[in-house]
């Protein structure tokens, strides 16, 4: 900044140096007589004219470029300088060109007399304008006091003598008036200069001061010229001309040169806002003027002269003006005193009645004043605090920070930082610490503190911060705070510690317990689980609830280098947590049991908090997929599996949009006769890479409910459309479409959609059977029952898929309107080898027979299974023992043939023997697909 300051001042110094050199050169030339009388006359006349002309042009150009209220003043200064240039030019015309003595009076005198009026008016424009009538009156009186005093003194010293000589010598009235006009105008100009010195505006102060100095120098030279001692001996080109020359150049420089230092001048003015010396001189101006007037009168008395009437009249008017001014000032002071008293009472009431505590501290830190509000805010009387050190009531932990902020505030410039705000703790009368916010201002080297109690606000902010970082139900840290603590553990002094681990915990079975016992019981279970988790971790570790029934724990490493021992220790902690969280929960009068699946991920060098938490999450989902109620450590292949599933899901979405799905059908065969009773629709995805995915593969990645719903809509519509085409071709065989229970009650598939689909393609409703897949425990049986009843009213047959594998199968048989039972593939695969499984399958088929339901065995792949199932009373089957999934062309060839060979002859006629039935059959395992 110092370098920039120097660079900024350098350009302004060069013009000043140049002006100084020119003026000094002119002065030296005038002092030595310029070398010749003719050159002295030329420089004394036309040199002064040229300098005045430069000032006129400079002020005029600046007035054109300026855009403020001082523009008329510079125009008037330009006119004044132009008059001086013209006067000197006329003077030079007589002396240099015509080589005659300048007549008196002459045209030059007219121009010289016209120099003062524009300058006087310009000074009035520059003056700070009063805002009241009394101010204007005082300005006029001050001007007269100065002018009258100078007139009295000048008249006593010289003007009276000049007037007397003119009268005695019989000088003409014009010459006598001219001899008096110059000093009188100079007196007026000096009066305005002095008055303006104490009343000048603060705007562009440096330029105004320079202009005043230039005019003052000119007036001084005029006064010397009009004195009797120099008037008779004056010749052009003498040293007196150097003063006029310098005054003109200084006025020319005033607007432009000083404008370059405007920032420095404004900065200087801001630092000197209080001018006690100038204020004192302004107040003493009337008395100084009266003293000058008195000196003029005393001079005449001491010299034994008769007091002139002009002196008496002027002195009386000066005294009268002084009396009037003092009267105005007295009235004004009385009004100001009353106003000050009112304001003092007003501010006293504000200070004493304010709820904020106002304190004034001396530079030493001693409290000099404390407002009465301290009793209500701090619980301490104001008198008890006065005289005490400010540091004695500040909390020791906050004292160092407060001292630092105060020193920093006092070191800053007042214009840049007029106030500051400090928050710390003050000791109350009861010994408690209150949070106090103080606005600090400077006061005579000390401080003014406006303080208020913000303890409740600080507590509220702390509570809001706590609420923002903690779970409202369990009061454990939430995901945001947990993530922040993981970030600190990975980036602090423990950075690189591979012993730091994150545990993700999910409560298995919480959803079912919440639905069974209600949300209030579920909340109580979460609270107890959080309490157990909090009690099980170490003091330096963090337990958190991430949302729902998901919890997490941060196990901070101990800095050890034995990674295997650390993994064993953390695994032991996780397993202990699993056992603790799996203990029965006492909810109300009963017990609720849930288990915990935990995923563990260890920190690695350079790992981010998000990556570490993602690894723990993947491990937790692997634990749930592996059977739940277990602890799983993260392995890199888990992430690779997620990436593969994500890529496959993205390709699946593209396949739905690009129509890459194909529909195959697998015949459902009557086990007694071998005839084709129905066909089961199965979707296949032939990707752009030529890979044919079976349902078990692409349904596993279709976790997006929107994609699953879109796939279900396509499967149902495509199956109905192709079945209608086969029906019109003479192949009257029903089609079975597998839909999940969640899909059936989805609002995206309204009740009338199936009916609209059958009507659009002209397929009889009896030719469609919908198979209800996997009974999801989250699906409401009431809604599912209503939907299936509505479908049966349309003539759609209903089959229950996977019978014998789901825990809700019996409940489904009891409540749902079922027409066909489809045995699970797991029952069919071991029916020949396992006598136990043989009995279970036989019992299930007996239940179907007793309920009057048709039965279909899924996954019948070998002839032995056909024989065994037919002997048990199973009516239909599908599998590789008859045919795999077929495309439309091969399916129609099979339907033309009408039957498949059935191994052996049944020893016992099937219980539900019959022809073709509309039933839902479709294996969704990864059945081998024949070439198409």
């Amino acid at each position: 900044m110092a370098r920039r300051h120097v660079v900024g001042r350098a350009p302004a110094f060069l013009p000043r140096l140049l002006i100084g050199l020119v003026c000094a050169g002119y002065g030296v030339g005038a002092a030595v007589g310029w070398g010749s009388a003719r050159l002295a006359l030329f420089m004394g006349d036309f040199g002064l004219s040229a300098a005045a002309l430069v000032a006129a042009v400079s002020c005029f150009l600046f007035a054109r470029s300026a855009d403020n209220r001082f523009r008329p003043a510079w125009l008037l200064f330009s006119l004044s300088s132009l008059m001086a240039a013209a006067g000197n030019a006329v003077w030079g015309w007589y002396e240099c060109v015509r080589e005659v003595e300048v007549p008196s009076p002459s045209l030059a005198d007219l121009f010289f007399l016209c120099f003062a009026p524009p300058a006087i008016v310009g000074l009035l424009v520059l003056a700070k304008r009063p805002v009241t009538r009394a101010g204007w009156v005082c300005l006029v009186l001050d001007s007269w006091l100065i002018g009258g005093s100078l007139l009295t003194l000048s008249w006593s010293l010289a003007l009276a003598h000049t007037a007397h000589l003119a009268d005695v010598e019989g000088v003409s009235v014009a010459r006598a008036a001219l001899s008096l006009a110059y000093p009188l105008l100079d007196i007026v100009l000096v009066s305005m200069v002095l008055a303006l010195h104490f009343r000048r505006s603060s705007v562009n102060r440096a330029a105004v001061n320079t202009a005043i100095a230039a005019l003052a120098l000119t007036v001084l030279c005029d006064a010397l010229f009009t004195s009797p001692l120099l008037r008779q001996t004056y010749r052009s080109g003498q040293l007196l001309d150097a003063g006029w020359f310098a005054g003109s150049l200084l006025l020319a420089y005033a607007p432009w040169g000083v404008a370059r230092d405007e920032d420095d001048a404004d900065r200087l003015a801001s630092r000197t806002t209080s001018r006690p010396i100038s204020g004192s001189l302004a107040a003493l101006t009337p008395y100084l003027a009266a003293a000058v007037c008195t000196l003029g009168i005393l001079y005449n008395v001491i010299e034994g002269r008769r007091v002139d009437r002009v002196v008496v009249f002027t002195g009386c008017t000066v005294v009268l003006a002084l009396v009037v001014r003092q009267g105005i000032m007295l009235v004004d002071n009385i009004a100001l005193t009353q106003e000050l008293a009112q304001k003092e009472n007003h501010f006293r009431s504000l200070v004493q009645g304010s709820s904020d505590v106002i304190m004034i501290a001396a530079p030493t830190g001693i409290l000099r004043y404390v407002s009465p509000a301290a009793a209500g805010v701090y619980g301490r009387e104001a008198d008890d605090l006065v005289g005490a050190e400010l540091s004695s009531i500040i909390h020791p932990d906050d004292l160092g920070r407060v001292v630092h902020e105060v020193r920093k505030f006092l070191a800053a410039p007042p214009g840049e930082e007029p106030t500051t705000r400090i928050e710390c703790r003050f000791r109350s009368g009861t010994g408690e610490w209150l949070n106090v916010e103080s606005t600090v201002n400077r006061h005579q080297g000390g401080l003014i503190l406006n303080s208020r109690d913000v303890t409740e606000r600080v507590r509220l902010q702390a509570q809001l911060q706590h609420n923002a970082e903690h779970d409202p139900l369990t009061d454990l840290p939430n995901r945001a705070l947990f993530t922040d603590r993981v970030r600190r553990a990975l980036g602090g002094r423990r950075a690189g510690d591979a012993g730091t681990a994150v545990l993700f915990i999910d409560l298995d079975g919480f959803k079912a317990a919440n639905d069974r016992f209600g949300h209030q019981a579920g909340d109580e279970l979460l609270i107890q689980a959080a309490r157990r988790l909090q009690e099980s971790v170490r003091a330096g570790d963090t337990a958190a609830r991430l949302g729902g029934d998901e919890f997490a724990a941060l196990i901070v490493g101990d800095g050890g280098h034995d990674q295997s021992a650390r993994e064993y220790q953390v695994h032991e902690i996780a397993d202990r947590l699993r056992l603790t969280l799996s203990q029965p929960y006492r909810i109300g009068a009963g017990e609720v049991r849930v288990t915990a699946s935990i995923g563990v991920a260890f920190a690695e060098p350079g790992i981010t908090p998000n990556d570490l938490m993602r690894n723990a999450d993947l491990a937790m989902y692997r634990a749930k997929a592996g059977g739940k109620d277990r602890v799983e450590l993260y392995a890199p292949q888990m992430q690779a599996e997620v990436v593969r599933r994500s890529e496959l899901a993205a390709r699946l979405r593209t396949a739905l949009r690009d129509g890459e799905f194909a529909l195959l059908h697998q015949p459902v065969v009557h086990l007694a006769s071998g005839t084709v009773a129905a066909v089961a629709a199965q979707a296949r995805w032939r990707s752009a890479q030529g890979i044919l995915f079976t349902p078990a593969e692409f349904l596993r990645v279709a976790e997006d409910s929107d994609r699953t719903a879109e796939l279900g809509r396509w499967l149902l519509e495509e199956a109905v459309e192709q079945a209608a085409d086969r029906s019109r071709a003479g192949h009257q065989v029903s089609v079975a479409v597998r839909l999940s229970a969640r899909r059936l009650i989805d609002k995206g598939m309204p009740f009338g959609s199936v009916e609209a689909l059958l009507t659009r393609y002209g397929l009889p409703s009896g030719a469609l059977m919908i198979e209800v897949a996997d009974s999801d425990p989250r699906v409401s049986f009431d809604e599912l029952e209503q939907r299936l009843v509505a479908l049966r009213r349309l003539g759609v047959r209903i089959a229950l898929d996977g019978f014998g594998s789901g825990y809700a199968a019996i409940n489904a048989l009891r409540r749902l309107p079922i027409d066909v039972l489809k045995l699970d593939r797991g029952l069919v695969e071991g029916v020949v080898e396992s006598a136990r499984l043989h009995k279970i399958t036989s019992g299930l088929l007996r239940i179907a027979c007793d309920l009057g339901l048709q039965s279909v065995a899924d996954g019948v792949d070998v002839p032995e299974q056909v024989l065994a199932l037919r002997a048990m009373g199973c009516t239909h089957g599908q599998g590789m023992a008859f045919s795999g999934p077929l495309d439309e062309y091969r399916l129609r060839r099979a339907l033309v043939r009408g039957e498949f060979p059935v191994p052996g002859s049944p020893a016992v006629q099937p219980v539900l023997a019959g022809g073709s039935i509309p039933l839902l059959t479709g294996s969704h395992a990864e059945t081998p697909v024949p070439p198409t």
Side-chain angles (χ1 to χ4, degrees):
M1 292 185 66
R3 180 181 179 183
R4 186 171 62 185
H5 178 72
V6 172
V7 172
R9 292 186 60 88
F13 177 73
L14 294 178
R16 295 176 184 176
L17 179 61
L18 181 61
I19 291 174
L21 292 176
V22 172
C23 293
Y26 190 95
V28 172
V32 299
W34 296 102
S36 68
R38 185 168 183 80
L39 180 59
L41 289 176
F42 182 84
M43 294 302 296
D45 296 332
F46 290 107
L48 294 181
S49 179
L53 185 61
V54 169
V57 173
S58 175
C59 293
F60 178 76
L61 293 177
F62 181 77
R64 289 189 58 186
S65 64
D67 188 15
N68 51 49
R69 73 180 186 89
F70 296 137
R71 181 177 182 180
W74 295 107
L75 288 175
L76 291 170
F77 290 153
S78 175
L79 178 59
S80 178
S81 298
L82 185 61
M83 293 297 100
N88 285 298
V90 171
W91 198 285
W93 169 261
Y94 283 111
E95 287 190 338
C96 297
V97 179
R98 297 184 61 184
E99 297 182 352
V100 297
E101 186 177 354
V102 180
S104 180
S106 66
L107 186 60
D109 293 321
L110 176 62
F111 285 125
F112 285 141
L113 290 176
C114 291
F115 166 80
I120 293 171
V121 178
L123 291 174
L124 287 174
V125 174
L126 290 179
K128 185 177 181 181
R129 299 176 182 178
V131 296
T132 61
R133 293 182 180 178
W136 282 105
V137 173
C138 288
L139 177 61
V140 174
L141 292 175
D142 288 345
S143 301
W144 172 244
L145 285 171
I146 298 173
S149 301
L150 293 177
L151 177 60
T152 301
L153 186 60
S154 301
W155 190 271
S156 300
L157 295 176
L159 295 183
H161 180 67
T162 301
H164 178 70
L165 289 177
D167 185 33
V168 171
E169 295 176 358
V171 179
S172 63
V173 177
R175 293 191 62 182
L178 183 63
S179 62
L180 294 177
Y182 280 112
L184 291 178
L185 287 176
D186 288 339
I187 289 173
V188 176
L189 192 56
V190 170
S191 301
M192 294 309 304
V193 169
L194 292 177
L196 179 60
H197 177 72
F198 299 115
R199 293 180 177 270
R200 62 187 182 276
S201 175
S202 60
V203 180
N204 206 2
R205 183 184 295 271
V208 175
N209 287 341
T210 306
I212 292 175
L215 293 175
L217 181 59
T218 303
V219 170
L220 177 62
C221 293
D222 287 346
L224 293 175
F225 172 74
T226 56
S227 65
L229 296 178
L230 296 180
R231 180 63 181 268
Q232 301 300 327
T233 61
Y234 171 77
R235 293 292 181 271
S236 296
Q238 292 181 353
L239 190 60
L240 185 61
D241 292 344
W244 283 314
F245 185 83
S248 296
L249 291 186
L250 195 59
L251 183 61
Y253 169 77
W256 300 102
V258 183
R260 299 181 182 180
D261 288 339
E262 184 176 357
D263 294 339
D264 294 339
D266 292 341
R267 193 177 302 112
L268 180 61
S270 64
R271 294 177 182 175
T272 58
T273 53
S274 61
R275 296 176 176 265
I277 298 178
S278 299
S280 301
L281 290 177
L284 293 175
T285 299
Y287 304 100
L288 294 175
V292 171
C293 183
T294 304
L295 288 176
I297 298 174
L298 289 177
Y299 176 79
N300 288 309
V301 173
I302 294 173
E303 292 293 327
R305 300 176 183 175
R306 183 176 59 87
V307 179
D308 194 276
R309 287 176 294 177
V310 175
V311 175
V312 174
F313 176 77
T314 305
C316 292
T317 56
V318 168
V319 174
L320 180 61
L322 179 60
V323 173
V324 174
R325 190 185 188 282
Q326 287 300 108
I328 295 175
M329 294 302 296
L330 180 60
V331 174
D332 194 20
N333 288 337
I334 293 174
L336 288 176
T337 303
Q338 293 177 351
E339 183 180 358
L340 181 61
Q342 292 177 356
K343 290 184 177 180
E344 184 178 357
N345 293 332
H346 174 70
F347 285 110
R348 183 183 293 109
S349 300
L350 288 177
V351 170
Q352 294 182 352
S354 174
S355 58
D356 295 347
V357 180
I358 299 176
M359 300 183 295
I360 300 178
T364 58
I366 303 298
L367 294 176
R368 297 303 185 192
Y369 173 79
V370 179
S371 65
V377 176
Y378 302 151
R380 304 177 67 175
E381 294 297 332
D383 295 339
D384 297 339
L385 291 174
V386 174
E389 291 188 2
L390 181 60
S391 59
S392 64
I393 62 174
I394 299 178
H395 196 284
D397 295 341
D398 300 340
L399 184 58
R401 175 176 55 84
V402 172
V403 171
H404 174 72
E405 293 183 3
V406 169
R407 289 178 177 174
K408 180 180 177 182
F409 167 67
L410 293 177
E416 297 179 4
E417 192 172 357
T419 183
T420 188
R421 191 180 300 273
I422 296 176
E423 188 169 331
C424 60
R425 286 168 289 180
F426 279 6
R427 186 191 301 275
S428 67
T430 60
E432 299 179 356
W433 293 103
L434 304 176
N435 293 92
V436 176
E437 181 185 63
S438 302
T439 302
V440 184
N441 295 274
R442 297 174 178 84
H443 175 68
Q444 298 178 358
L447 300 173
I448 295 181
L449 295 93
N450 191 347
S451 307
R452 63 190 60 86
D453 183 9
V454 293
T455 304
E456 291 300 324
R457 189 195 71 185
V458 172
R459 291 176 181 173
L460 179 60
Q461 290 176 345
Q463 184 63 39
L464 292 176
Q465 182 71 19
H466 180 85
N467 293 342
E469 296 178 342
H470 290 76
D471 175 59
L473 179 64
T474 62
D475 202 39
L476 290 179
N478 58 13
R479 183 181 294 271
L481 181 57
F482 183 76
T483 304
D484 182 67
R485 292 189 178 178
V486 172
R487 182 179 296 107
R488 293 181 186 178
L490 296 180
R493 59 184 178 87
R494 299 180 183 272
D497 188 354
T500 299
V502 170
L503 281 61
F504 265 44
I505 306 162
D506 187 85
L507 299 181
D508 308 318
F510 172 76
K511 174 65 176 176
N514 194 54
D515 293 340
R516 179 182 178 185
F517 298 102
H519 293 289
Q520 186 173 358
D523 291 344
E524 179 61 28
L525 191 152
L526 292 175
I527 294 174
Q528 294 186 26
R531 187 181 303 116
R532 294 182 185 183
L533 179 62
Q534 183 69 39
E535 293 173 353
S536 300
V537 298
R538 300 174 305 179
D541 299 333
T542 301
R545 182 191 177 201
L546 305 183
D549 59 343
E550 291 187 357
F551 295 86
L554 171 63
I555 309 299
V556 181
D558 54 6
H561 300 286
D562 192 347
Q563 184 62 21
S564 59
R566 179 60 178 168
E567 289 183 1
Y568 176 80
Q569 180 184 7
V570 173
H571 192 281
E572 185 179 31
I573 294 174
D575 197 58
R576 187 170 65 251
L577 280 176
R578 180 187 64 81
L579 294 175
T580 301
L581 295 175
S582 300
Q583 296 297 320
Y585 293 86
R586 173 68 62 179
I587 307 296
E591 289 185 351
V592 178
R593 292 181 178 271
V594 295
T595 58
S597 297
I598 302 178
V600 182
F602 286 91
E604 301 174 357
I607 194 171
T608 64
N610 291 334
D611 290 343
L612 180 59
M613 295 172 64
R614 180 205 60 197
N615 294 345
D617 195 24
L618 291 176
M620 185 266 290
Y621 277 106
R622 176 59 64 89
K624 293 180 71 68
K628 303 179 181 181
D629 192 20
R630 55 184 296 172
V631 176
E632 191 77 29
L633 296 180
Y634 170 77
Q637 57 267 27
M638 295 182 184
Q639 178 63 23
E641 176 66 18
V642 170
V643 172
R644 189 190 72 83
R645 288 168 60 88
S646 177
E647 293 176 350
L648 191 57
R651 289 162 53 193
L652 174 61
R653 289 191 291 270
T654 304
L656 284 171
R657 184 181 65 250
D658 297 343
E660 296 179 1
F661 277 90
L663 189 65
L664 303 180
H665 293 82
Q666 188 173 24
V668 179
V669 179
H670 194 282
L671 295 183
S673 61
T675 58
V676 178
V679 291
Q682 298 180 7
R684 292 293 187 273
W685 172 25
R686 187 180 299 278
S687 68
Q689 291 78 15
I691 303 174
L692 191 66
F693 292 99
T694 59
E697 290 178 298
F698 63 74
L699 287 179
R700 212 172 11 243
V701 300
E703 297 176 351
D704 188 346
S705 59
D706 294 337
R707 303 284 82 78
T708 305
E710 186 177 352
L711 180 61
R713 285 192 296 269
W714 176 87
L715 177 62
L716 179 60
E717 183 173 357
E718 192 73 12
V720 171
E721 181 180 6
Q722 292 188 17
D725 290 342
R726 289 191 296 270
S727 179
R728 286 190 290 270
H731 302 292
Q732 301 295 332
V733 60
S734 61
V735 62
V737 181
R738 183 177 186 269
L739 296 175
S740 66
R742 176 175 291 277
R743 172 70 185 133
L744 282 171
I745 64 174
D746 188 5
K747 295 181 180 179
M749 184 178 179
F751 287 153
S753 61
V754 175
E755 183 179 8
L757 200 60
L758 296 176
T759 303
R760 183 195 311 167
Y761 294 105
L763 183 67
S765 58
L768 175 64
M769 176 169 284
I770 292 180
E771 175 187 4
V772 182
D774 53 14
S775 183
D776 192 335
R778 295 173 293 180
V779 174
S780 172
F781 263 88
D782 295 333
E783 295 182 21
L784 183 60
E785 182 181 5
Q786 293 176 7
R787 184 57 189 265
L788 294 180
V789 169
L791 290 175
R792 288 198 67 185
R793 291 197 185 104
L794 298 176
V796 178
R797 305 296 296 277
I798 306 299
L800 181 61
D801 182 33
F803 186 72
S805 62
Y807 70 90
I810 301 301
N811 194 29
L813 282 179
R814 182 175 63 86
R815 299 188 56 180
L816 302 181
I818 304 299
D819 298 303
V820 177
L821 288 181
K822 182 178 179 181
L823 295 180
D824 183 67
R825 186 182 184 89
L827 296 176
V828 177
E829 288 177 346
V831 71
V832 177
E833 295 82 2
S834 173
R836 185 182 184 87
L837 195 58
H838 187 280
K839 293 181 181 180
I840 293 175
T841 305
S842 177
L844 294 176
L845 289 172
R846 191 176 303 112
I847 293 175
C849 179
D850 293 341
L851 294 176
L853 304 177
Q854 303 267 354
S855 58
V856 178
D858 184 19
V860 182
D861 297 332
V862 295
E864 292 80 4
Q865 294 173 346
V866 175
L867 297 175
L869 290 169
R870 186 172 56 191
M872 295 178 191
C874 184
T875 57
H876 299 79
Q878 72 178 84
M880 296 304 297
F882 307 107
S883 172
L886 305 174
D887 59 13
E888 187 64 20
Y889 174 75
R890 296 190 179 190
L891 175 63
R892 293 200 179 190
R893 287 180 54 188
L895 292 178
V896 170
R897 188 170 65 247
E899 61 182 18
F900 289 91
V902 178
S905 298
V908 180
Q909 191 69 15
V911 177
L912 296 177
S916 176
I917 60 170
L919 53 89
L920 172 62
T921 57
S923 172
H924 293 274
E926 299 181 13
T927 308
V929 180
T932 57

